[in-house]
Amino acid sequence: FNWQLAVLAIDYWLRGGKEGQVLYRSKRGWVWNQFFVIEEYTGPDPVLVGRLHSDVDSGNGNIKYILSGEGAGTIFVIDDKTGNIHATKTLDREEQAQYTLTAQAVDRDTNKPLEPPSEFIVKVQDINDNPPEFLHGPYYARVPEMSNVGTSVMQVTATDADDPTYGNSARLVYSILQGQPYFSVEPQTGIIRTALPNMDREARQEYDVVIQAKDMGGHMGGLSGTTEVKITLTDVNDNPPKFPQSVYPMSVSEDKVPGEEVGRLKAKDPDLGDNGLVNYRLVDGDGMNMFELSVDSETREAVIKLKKMVDFETKRSYTLKVEGSNPHVDPQFLAWGPYKDEATIKISVEDADEPPVFVAPSYTFEVEENAPEGTLVGRVHAKDTDVANNPVRYMIPRYTDVEQFFAINTEDGMITTMRPLDRETQNWHNISVSATEIGGHHQDTKVRVNIKVKDVNDNPPEFATNNEVLMCESVAPGKVIETVSAVDKDEMAHRQHFTFSLAPEVAHNNNFSLKDNRDSTASIYVLRKGFSRLTQDVYYLPIEINDNGFPAMSSTNTLTIRVCSCDSKNTILSCNVEPYVLPAGLSTGALIAILACIVILLAIVVLFVALRRQKKEPLIVFEEEDIRENIITYDDEGGGEEDTEAFDIATLQNPDGANGFLPRKDIKPELQYPLRPGGRPAANSVDVDDFIKTRIAEADSDPTAPPYDSIQIYGYEGRGSLAGSLSSLESVTTESDLDYDYLQSWGPRFKKLADLYGTKDCSIHDGDDGEDS
C-alpha cells in the first residue's frame, strides 16, 4: 500500500511551550511503500522494504535521505537520493519480530534538516519455519496395572517458535506413533491415557510410547516433532501365592538334635514388595508336635526344623500341612479368589546307627569295706536300639577309676572289686561305665555308677583328745581330775557307745581309779594324797576302751598325768615341764635382760659407724663433683665489696683427669714432667711473646699440677673501690719524659702497647684499652 502523510500529529511538535501557545511549522509529507518484510527471504537481490519521499523534494538531487535506528546501515540501507530502503540480510522473526527506524531529509550541501525526524516500524512477516519441540522429553510415567481404560497417564506439551497470532504456523495437533493399542493421546491437549483393559505387570512391565506434535493444525505441509514416553506399570496385589508343588517330600535322621533344619519350601507370588509378601504357618498334620516352622528373613522361605528328637524304631514318617497367605490384600481384587495356598509335607525318619542305651540313667551300688578281691558290686545293662540289635561290650574308663578298685565283665556288665576297700579312706567311689556297640560305628554311651562302701567295725576306739592331765601336788583323795571320752573312725550309729576300764596291769594301783559313766565317758579319781613332783612328776595310766560293734573292738590308750605345784587356791604355778624348756640356772627375766643388752650394743656400733662415715672427707677429687673456689686477691684493681665477678677455679681443673687419673688435693705433686726439648728460651731472649708461649705450653703439658694458683684476668674494672683506680694510665700526660721505645722489640703481642707509648705524639684516650692490652 502507498499513501501520503500530509501531517504527522505529534503533540510535541504541534503543541508545546506555555499553555495556550500554538506552534506552527511548514507543511511536509512522506511517501513510502508498505513496510513489511517476509522472513527467511533468500532471493538474489536485496529485498525492497519501502520508499521514503518528502514533499520538499523537487527531484533535483538537493535533498539527502538519512536512515537511523535498529539495524540501520547493517540490516537496512537507504538510497540517499531516491529514499528507497532495502534489507541486505535474511531476517528471522523468531530472533526479532520488528525494527524501529528513524528517517530524515536534509539539505545535501548544508546538512540542514528540511523535515523533522520521523519514526516508523518495519515488521518481519512470519512463515512456518520452526517445527514443534518437546522441551522436557524424554518423559517417564507410571500407571498401576489393571487400570481401567481411559486412565490418565500424563500430559506432554510441545512448543512452536512461530507466531501463534498469524496463520496456523503454531497450531499444534498431537498423535501417537508408537504404543498402540495400549495407549492413546488426546490431539488437542497431549494427555496420554490407557487404551486396553487389564494390562498385567507380570506379563509386561514397561512400554515405549512415541508422541508426535504437528503444526498447521495437522494438515499436510506442516512441520512436526516427536518425543519418547517410557511408561511403567506399577504393581498391585492381583496374584495369590502359589506353591509350586502340592506335596514336598523331606527326610530327617533320628540322630538329629532339636533345632536342626529338616527342609525348606516357598510359595511363589509374582507381585512385588508387600504385595508379594507371604506368611507361612502349620495348620495340620501328625508331626505338629515334633516339628516347627520359621521364616528365613532374607530368602523369605518357610524353614521346617526339628522340635523334638525322632526315633526310627518308634515312628518312621510324619505329615505336615503348610499354608502360605498374603498379609496385605487389595480390596479391589478380593473377588479374584482367596489369596492363600496350601501344601503337604511328608517327612520320613531315617535310621541312624545310634549308640547303645543303658536301661537306667545312673546306677548306685553298695559293697562292704574289706571285702575280698572279686566281690560282686552290681551289674549295668545297655542295649542296642537299632534294628540290627548288635551286642554290646562294657568297659570302665581308667580316668574314672585311677587306682583300679573295680573291674567289669565286658560281656554282661558285672562289676567286681579288684582289692579290699577302706571306708575310712574313701566312703564313695564314683566311676563311669562305657557301652560300645559291636559291628557298628563304635559309638559308645557312658553311664554314672556310684558305689557306696558299707562300714565294718574294723577300727578300735581311741581318746577323743590326747592332752596331758595337770594335777596339783596337794590334790585331795577322791577328787575327779579328768573326764575322758572316745572316738571311733568307724561309722557311728546313734546306738553306739563306749565302755572304759583300767588296764589289768594297773587295775589295783594305789594312785588313781576310773569310773565308767555309761554315757561313753569315764571319770578319773585320785586315791591318795601326798603327791610330790620331786619324787615323781609324771604318771602314766593305761585305760582300755571297748565299743559295742560287731565284732567288738577294743584298744588301750595311755593317759598322761603331770604333777604341778599350786598355790592355796589350787591355781597351778609351775609343772616339771619348765626345766626342759629353759636352760639350767637361768630364768626368763635373765634371758630377756641379756637380749636387751645385746640389742643396745649393736645400736651403738651402728651409730658410731654412721658418724665416722659422715666426718670422713674423701681424698680423691672425682670428676662428677662440682668443686668451685672463689679466690679474691686484694692487690689488684677491683670493685671492693661490689665486685662479684670473682674467678671460677673450676675452669682450671685438669682436663686429663677424665682419662682416669685423679690427682689428690691434699699433697703437692713432687714429680714434674720434663719440659719439651728446646722449649725453654734463652735467658737473654728479648722476645717476650715466645717466653709466654713457652710457659703456657709447660703448664698445659703437666697433668699432675693441681690448681694452686690462678691468673686473674683484668678485662673488667670493678666499681666502688675506696682506693680508686690503681692504673697509671690515667696519670700519664702527653709530656711524659719516659721512654718506651724498647716495647718495639717485645713482639706482636705488645705492638699495641708500643704504639701507645712509643710515640710521644699519640694521646691516650681510653684507660680500659690499656688494661685490656
Side-chain angles (χ1 to χ4, degrees), residues 298-350:
E298 294 183 0
T299 62
R300 303 304 303 173
E301 294 176 307
V303 182
I304 306 299
K305 293 183 179 181
L306 191 62
K307 186 177 181 180
K308 296 180 180 179
M309 290 190 67
V310 294
D311 186 12
F312 175 79
E313 289 74 24
T314 304
K315 187 175 178 60
R316 301 189 178 185
S317 65
Y318 295 90
T319 301
L320 294 173
K321 185 172 286 187
V322 180
E323 178 188 83
S325 60
N326 287 141
H328 305 286
V329 179
D330 192 341
Q332 181 180 354
F333 303 101
L334 281 176
W336 291 31
Y339 283 83
K340 61 183 179 179
D341 193 18
E342 291 184 352
T344 302
I345 302 175
K346 292 187 176 181
I347 303 174
S348 60
V349 180
E350 297 179 348

Side-chain angles (χ1 to χ4, degrees), residues 102-175:
T102 301
Q104 190 175 17
V106 299
D107 187 273
R108 184 176 296 275
D109 295 332
T110 63
N111 286 331
K112 291 182 178 181
L114 301 177
E115 292 285 348
S118 179
E119 185 179 274
F120 61 93
I121 296 174
V122 177
K123 291 187 177 182
V124 182
Q125 186 173 352
D126 179 55
I127 63 173
N128 190 19
D129 61 340
N130 290 281
E133 292 182 353
F134 292 91
L135 301 180
H136 303 290
Y139 297 90
Y140 298 89
R142 299 166 66 88
V143 63
E145 63 173 333
M146 299 296 174
S147 296
N148 296 327
V149 176
T151 301
S152 175
V153 179
M154 74 172 303
Q155 182 179 13
V156 294
T157 303
T159 59
D160 195 319
D162 293 324
D163 189 359
T165 62
Y166 179 77
N168 294 326
S169 299
R171 183 167 172 264
L172 304 181
V173 174
Y174 298 94
S175 62

Side-chain angles (χ1 to χ4, degrees), residues 36-42 47 49 71 74-76 86-99 122-125 127 129:
F36 287 91
V37 180
I38 298 177
E39 68 170 335
E40 304 294 344
Y41 175 77
T42 57
V47 179
V49 177
T74 56
I75 299 176
F76 303 102
H86 290 82
T88 61
K89 295 182 180 181
T90 301
L91 302 181
D92 187 359
R93 189 200 67 82
E94 287 69 39
E95 290 183 3
Q96 187 166 346
Q98 64 183 21
Y99 298 86
V122 177
K123 291 187 177 182
V124 182
Q125 186 173 352
I127 63 173
D129 61 340

Side-chain angles (χ1 to χ4, degrees), residues 280 292-296 301-305:
Y280 303 92
E292 60 185 358
L293 184 146
S294 62
V295 179
D296 191 323
E301 294 176 307
V303 182
I304 306 299
K305 293 183 179 181

Side-chain angles (χ1 to χ4, degrees), residues 527-541:
L527 295 179
R528 68 178 179 89
K529 63 177 181 178
F531 290 94
S532 175
R533 59 173 177 163
L534 297 179
T535 304
Q536 186 176 351
D537 59 346
V538 177
Y539 294 87
Y540 298 100
L541 184 65

Side-chain angles (χ1 to χ4, degrees), residues 148-395:
N148 296 327
V149 176
T151 301
S152 175
V153 179
M154 74 172 303
Q155 182 179 13
V156 294
T157 303
T159 59
D160 195 319
D162 293 324
D163 189 359
T165 62
Y166 179 77
N168 294 326
S169 299
R171 183 167 172 264
L172 304 181
V173 174
Y174 298 94
S175 62
I176 183 168
L177 301 182
Q178 177 181 319
Q180 301 98 336
Y182 308 102
F183 301 94
S184 63
V185 63
E186 293 183 355
Q188 306 302 326
T189 62
I191 298 175
I192 302 173
R193 300 182 182 275
T194 58
L196 280 182
N198 300 330
M199 285 193 293
D200 191 4
R201 183 201 65 82
E202 287 73 33
R204 182 177 178 182
Q205 183 175 357
E206 294 183 350
Y207 296 85
D208 293 326
V209 178
V210 178
I211 302 297
Q212 181 190 65
K214 191 173 183 180
D215 59 11
M216 300 298 294
H219 295 96
M220 185 177 295
L223 302 179
S224 64
T226 61
T227 186
E228 292 184 0
V229 181
K230 185 177 290 293
I231 301 175
T232 302
L233 298 182
T234 58
D235 183 65
V236 297
N237 191 8
D238 59 338
N239 294 280
K242 183 70 177 176
F243 286 103
Q245 303 171 217
S246 59
V247 178
Y248 287 85
M250 297 180 184
S251 61
V252 59
S253 179
E254 63 176 340
D255 59 352
K256 298 297 183 182
V257 297
E260 292 200 32
E261 181 178 323
V262 177
R264 296 183 175 220
L265 70 160
K266 184 178 183 181
K268 291 186 177 180
D269 192 330
D271 295 324
L272 299 177
D274 292 342
N275 295 326
L277 189 64
V278 180
N279 289 344
Y280 303 92
R281 66 187 183 98
L282 296 176
V283 294
D284 196 8
D286 58 359
M288 294 186 65
N289 294 329
M290 305 299 295
F291 302 92
E292 60 185 358
L293 184 146
S294 62
V295 179
D296 191 323
S297 59
E298 294 183 0
T299 62
R300 303 304 303 173
E301 294 176 307
V303 182
I304 306 299
K305 293 183 179 181
L306 191 62
K307 186 177 181 180
K308 296 180 180 179
M309 290 190 67
V310 294
D311 186 12
F312 175 79
E313 289 74 24
T314 304
K315 187 175 178 60
R316 301 189 178 185
S317 65
Y318 295 90
T319 301
L320 294 173
K321 185 172 286 187
V322 180
E323 178 188 83
S325 60
N326 287 141
H328 305 286
V329 179
D330 192 341
Q332 181 180 354
F333 303 101
L334 281 176
W336 291 31
Y339 283 83
K340 61 183 179 179
D341 193 18
E342 291 184 352
T344 302
I345 302 175
K346 292 187 176 181
I347 303 174
S348 60
V349 180
E350 297 179 348
D351 187 23
D353 187 12
E354 299 175 288
V357 176
F358 284 94
V359 296
S362 63
Y363 295 87
T364 301
F365 302 121
E366 291 183 351
V367 61
E368 288 187 351
E369 65 174 329
N370 303 323
E373 178 182 351
T375 301
L376 178 63
V377 177
R379 181 187 178 188
V380 296
H381 179 64
K383 61 180 180 179
D384 183 13
T385 59
D386 297 325
V387 177
N389 195 17
N390 293 322
V392 177
R393 293 293 179 264
Y394 304 93
M395 65 169 292

